[in-house]
Amino acid sequence: MNVWFITKGLLLNDHAAVMPGEPGGRPADQRRDAPGRPESQSRSTRAGSMHRPVVALIALAAAGALAAGCGGNGPSYGGSGGGPYGSGGAPTGTAPSGVATVAATSTKLGQILVDGNGRTLYLFQKDQPDQSACAGGCASAWPPDQSSGTPKAGSPVQASLLGTIKRSDGTTQVTYNHHPLYYYSGDSGAGQQNGQGLNAFDALWYVVAPSGETVTSATS
């Protein structure tokens, strides 16, 4: 351990200290022992007084080395949390590696498509069948409903109308009756249809019925 090397080094320095009257030290005739005290006793007293601070230094060095050795072994905290929201607080509709579910729910617009969490899904009238015309800033305001595999149909959605397309960024978007499906960033939770009938990015946005038809009635 590092403590052993520190201790050994200090002890070597202690033994290497030059004592008065030894080679490299002061001449023997310059020693100033107390009158009447034997020279050996005087030398022993001086050596003992020098050794005590060295022992204290060794103890301090050992404690510091032990503290340093223990550092970095404590718990490390970090990581990041994720929720059902993408950029700008818009819902992504599914976990990053999850399979999307498309279901339907009853609203004042009638039965409309929602995701597995009850969030409203929309179509974009600028889209062509199985082709999305919404990217960049449009996709930030109207996030695509993504899936990592074949989407699941909840009641009373028709599984035969479900499909997927590949987007230009490589992600997979859910379609229904060949309409690419989207969320609206202005919906903060399930049961909201704030995007219904909006004219944005050069076309209108509408909710979708389980039959695959566009629901054009605006919310009141």
Side-chain angles (χ1 to χ4, degrees), residues 100-105 113-116 151-159 162 176 210:
T101 296
V102 177
T105 189
L113 298 186
V114 295
D115 73 355
K152 299 177 182 179
S155 178
V157 168
Q158 303 177 51
L162 279 172
Y176 194 76

Side-chain angles (χ1 to χ4, degrees), residues 176-190:
Y176 194 76
N177 195 26
H178 305 288
H179 297 295
L181 298 179
Y182 304 85
Y183 296 96
Y184 176 46
S185 60
D187 292 340
S188 60

Side-chain angles (χ1 to χ4, degrees), residues 102-115 118-122 155-157 176 187 191-194 196 206-211 213-217 219:
V102 177
T105 189
S106 295
T107 69
K108 57 186 175 181
L109 298 170
Q111 280 200 325
I112 63 171
L113 298 186
V114 295
D115 73 355
R119 295 180 179 273
T120 302
L121 298 170
Y122 299 85
S155 178
V157 168
Y176 194 76
D187 292 340
Q192 298 183 0
Q193 298 90 40
N194 296 320
Q196 173 67 0
Y206 291 114
V207 295
V208 187
S211 63
E213 299 298 319
T214 303
V215 179
T216 57
S217 301
T219 57

Side-chain angles (χ1 to χ4, degrees), residues 16-27 43:
V18 177
M19 296 295 296
E22 294 180 351
R26 292 183 300 175
R43 178 176 297 180

Side-chain angles (χ1 to χ4, degrees), residues 47-149:
S49 62
M50 293 177 64
H51 187 67
R52 281 192 294 272
V54 172
V55 172
L57 287 174
I58 293 172
L60 288 173
L66 286 172
C70 292
N73 293 330
S76 176
Y77 300 96
S80 61
Y85 298 96
S87 60
T92 59
T94 182
S97 60
V99 174
T101 296
V102 177
T105 189
S106 295
T107 69
K108 57 186 175 181
L109 298 170
Q111 280 200 325
I112 63 171
L113 298 186
V114 295
D115 73 355
N117 296 316
R119 295 180 179 273
T120 302
L121 298 170
Y122 299 85
L123 60 79
F124 186 31
Q125 286 200 321
K126 190 176 180 180
D127 287 347
Q128 298 297 316
D130 296 321
Q131 293 182 15
S132 172
C134 180
C138 175
S140 295
W142 301 85
D145 182 18
Q146 299 180 15
S147 182
S148 63

